[in-house]
């Protein structure tokens, strides 16, 4: 586990003045919001590094790419967060060694800590996706999950990905919100938060209410979330953007329709109630429900629902040059 000595330290407790400044500076907002979330992010989104999330990450890669010679020698995760995508892909046999980058020092710190606990060969840098601090032709794979919609200039970031890829190397980004999917997800999340936080004010449900300080903290984070989420994507437009950046063999895929309609209220409810109320039995029931709805999406709804109505978009492309993976 290595991190660059000149990288800044995390700032998990932003002041009101910093938050106010971040409302006018999207990159500062990215840092503050994600430093704020770093230590609790895995719990908030039910992220793990066991078979459940290994299968999920590998499934996203396989759906986006299809059959490919594996493993890649060296992979980079852009906007790594806590390392969810790359670390689980490495455990799933996609890559041997890895590097993680994020604009948030807090996220890089947690990602490297997670990698160390898993015994994975990973280094990290605090870095802007529009100016990746690695040499040309360094990586065999560049990946990311739920990152492109945070980047001001997505096409520039994709050009940077192609620069640091070796000829024939591939990028894979998953978990990006579609324009239609984001609309219904936001509405469902807002409604669920309002209902849950209001109902738990009732005396006989007070045990289901988080302390007001935690709810206020979440509301402050939500104010920054509106600043850090910059884009939604039409799958066809995402393909055009990747091609314009210089990639070949470009393909966008979408997933989660019924699963998203179910999942967003569930995730919001979980964020609004105390963790101890969410038993392992409850979590497993929700996971099984998600699996069932994902099966419905993949095997039935994909055949009848236009791809732009699904919530998650994935995009992959290859750097022109040598034999491609």
């Amino acid at each position: 586990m290595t991190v660059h000595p000149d990288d800044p330290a995390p700032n998990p407790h932003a002041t009101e003045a910093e938050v106010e400044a971040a409302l006018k500076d999207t990159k500062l907002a990215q840092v503050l919001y994600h430093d704020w979330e770093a230590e609790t992010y895995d719990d908030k989104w039910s992220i793990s590094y066991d078979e459940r999330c290994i299968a999920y990450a590998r499934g996203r890669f396989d759906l986006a790419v299809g059959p490919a010679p594996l493993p890649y020698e060296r992979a980079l995760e852009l906007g790594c967060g806590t390392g969810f995508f790359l670390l689980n892909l490495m455990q799933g046999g996609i890559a041997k060694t890895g590097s993680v980058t994020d604009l948030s020092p807090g996220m890089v710190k947690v990602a490297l800590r997670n990698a160390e606990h898993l015994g994975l060969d990973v280094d990290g840098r605090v870095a802007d996706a529009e100016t990746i601090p690695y040499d040309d032709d360094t990586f065999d794979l560049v990946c990311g999950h739920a990152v492109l919609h945070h980047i001001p200039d997505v096409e520039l970031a994709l050009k940077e990905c192609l620069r640091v890829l070796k000829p024939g190397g591939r990028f894979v980004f998953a978990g990006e919100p579609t324009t239609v999917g984001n609309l219904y997800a936001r509405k469902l999340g807002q409604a669920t938060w309002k209902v849950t936080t209001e109902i738990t004010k009732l005396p006989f449900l007070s045990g289901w209410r988080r302390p007001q300080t935690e709810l206020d903290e979440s509301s402050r984070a939500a104010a920054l979330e509106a600043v850090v989420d910059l884009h939604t994507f039409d799958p066809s437009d995402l393909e055009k953007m990747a091609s314009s950046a210089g990639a070949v063999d470009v393909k966008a895929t979408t997933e989660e329709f019924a699963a998203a309609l179910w999942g967003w209220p569930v995730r919001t409810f979980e964020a609004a109630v105390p963790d101890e109320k969410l038993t392992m039995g409850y979590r497993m029931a929700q996971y099984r429900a998600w699996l069932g709805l994902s099966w419905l999406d993949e095997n039935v709804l994909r055949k009848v629902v236009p791809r732009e109505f699904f919530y998650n978009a994935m995009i992959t492309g290859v750097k022109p040059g040598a034999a491609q993976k």
Side-chain angles (χ1 to χ4, degrees):
M1 183 186 83
T2 59
V3 65
H4 197 276
D6 296 331
D7 284 348
N11 175 22
H13 303 293
T15 66
E16 283 193 32
E18 288 172 325
V19 172
E20 186 66 26
L23 296 176
K24 302 174 184 177
D25 181 343
T26 184
K27 291 192 177 180
L28 176 60
Q30 303 288 350
V31 174
L32 295 183
Y33 175 77
H34 290 99
D35 273 5
W36 208 332
E37 296 276 18
E39 294 292 340
T40 58
Y41 196 77
D42 283 350
D43 288 337
K44 176 181 178 180
W45 295 104
S46 298
I47 290 171
S48 65
Y49 301 89
D50 54 17
E51 188 56 39
R52 177 176 66 89
C53 281
I54 294 171
Y56 176 85
R58 178 63 192 264
R60 308 291 69 72
F61 180 90
D62 291 343
L63 182 60
V65 176
L70 299 173
Y72 292 86
E73 287 294 325
R74 187 178 182 190
L76 167 69
E77 182 171 11
L78 206 64
C80 63
T82 58
F84 157 73
F85 202 42
L86 177 60
L87 303 188
N88 281 313
L89 287 178
M90 290 176 70
Q91 292 189 98
I94 297 297
K96 293 181 180 179
T97 64
S99 301
V100 294
T101 64
D102 200 293
L103 202 58
S104 159
M107 287 296 191
V108 173
K109 174 185 174 182
V110 174
L112 290 174
R113 186 174 67 210
N114 286 337
E116 184 177 38
H117 289 167
L118 294 168
L120 298 175
D121 185 2
V122 176
D123 61 67
R125 293 291 307 272
V126 176
D128 190 327
E130 295 173 2
T131 53
I132 301 173
Y134 289 95
D135 293 336
D136 296 1
D137 305 335
T138 297
F139 297 97
D140 303 285
L141 173 69
V142 175
C143 65
H145 189 277
V147 58
L148 296 182
H149 68 283
H150 292 308
I151 299 172
D153 192 332
V154 176
E155 187 171 325
L156 177 58
L158 292 175
K159 288 178 179 177
E160 277 288 280
C161 292
L162 292 169
R163 179 184 64 78
V164 300
L165 278 169
K166 297 175 183 177
R170 178 181 292 278
F171 64 76
V172 179
F173 291 95
E176 299 299 336
T178 65
T179 301
V180 175
N182 182 71
L183 178 62
Y184 61 70
R186 292 283 185 190
K187 296 295 184 183
L188 287 169
Q190 290 166 0
T192 304
W193 180 266
K194 182 174 178 60
V195 169
T196 304
T197 54
E198 288 297 320
I199 286 180
T200 53
K201 289 179 180 178
L202 297 172
F204 63 92
L205 290 176
S206 60
W208 284 83
R209 185 174 179 82
R210 283 186 182 269
Q212 190 61 44
T213 53
E214 292 184 14
L215 294 174
D216 290 344
E217 188 86 352
S218 293
S219 295
R220 290 180 71 197
L224 282 180
E225 189 174 18
V227 181
V228 301
D229 290 346
L230 301 178
H231 310 288
T232 59
F233 301 100
D234 179 276
S236 296
D237 291 341
L238 199 52
E239 289 171 333
K240 293 174 184 175
M241 196 179 302
S243 296
S244 179
V248 297
D249 292 350
V250 170
K251 182 180 71 171
T253 310
T254 58
E255 62 167 356
E256 290 198 12
F257 180 60
L261 292 172
W262 171 265
W264 274 97
V266 167
R267 292 181 192 122
T268 306
F269 168 77
E270 291 172 352
V273 302
D275 288 339
E276 61 268 20
K277 296 294 185 181
L278 307 177
T279 65
M280 182 56 66
Y282 164 86
R283 292 183 186 278
M284 290 307 299
Q286 298 306 324
Y287 178 55
R288 287 192 291 270
W290 178 83
L291 287 176
L293 292 170
S294 295
W295 182 93
L296 177 66
D297 287 335
E298 182 66 23
N299 293 280
V300 179
L301 298 181
R302 182 178 298 283
K303 299 174 183 177
V304 295
V305 177
R307 66 175 182 167
E308 60 267 24
F309 281 75
F310 286 73
Y311 178 75
N312 279 328
M314 294 171 277
I315 186 71
T316 186
V318 171
K319 180 173 182 174
Q324 297 170 5
K325 285 189 174 184

